[in-house]
Amino acid sequence: MRYLAISDIHANLEAYETVMAAAAPLGYDKVLVLGDLVGYGADPNAICDRIRALNPHALIRGNHDKVGSGVESSEGFNAVARSAIGWTYDALTQSNRGWLAALPAGPMAVDDLIEICHGTPFDEDAYVFDDLDALRAMHAARRPLCLFGHTHVQVGHYLSRDQFGLSTADDQRPLTISLDDASRYLINPGSVGQPRDGDPRAGFAIVDTAAREVTIYRVEYPVAKAQARILEEGLPDVLAQRLAQGR
Ligand code: ZN
């Protein structure tokens, strides 16, 4: 089985279309979506429509999906995120808002190998920022391979009997991480629509369960077009600017 894993699309239609076009020739059977379909970007309805039509094998909500659909208040958001999510709530059709509101929380088991979550397996809203966070998340995961999002940083941690480390120490992309049976893995496929690791290219991953490997990819997309859409909708300028920096 080959799974396409995507996360943190954030209503960036240009990035989403580019990722799907890049993933198609690589070949995959099913799609896993790790949450944050909306928020920040200018095309929340187009993204919801496309994901609904795609009908992913596994799909969980992110914090922006909760707030953007009215499930939760924007209390914990900073000023820019709050302004964007207010706009998102108003922009969403009633149908898409209702659909987003009904998305399940992670973690969600996909098969014997994989589970997905937005933030961590113990708290959908918690961030994995450092090694301690990663270890805690790996211990909470009920599958050897836990795919997560939320940080918008494409990264892979591993934990074997006596070693803990980064599978992504090499910054080359695409990068294939081989999964050995004795280790646990915590891998972020990267953000499709708002990367924050200094690389503005859209991120995604393909998990091949037969080959026991995960490959992470980055792909250039029309950033200027996504920026123009953000400004056109009157969203905060900084949301357009950060896309070019990948911050
Ligand atoms: Zn996000």
Side-chain angles (χ1 to χ4, degrees), residues 8 10 36 40 63-64 118 150 152 196:
D8 297 279
H10 283 292
D36 274 3
Y40 299 129
N63 51 321
H64 286 257
H118 186 63
H150 200 32
H152 302 202
R196 291 181 195 159

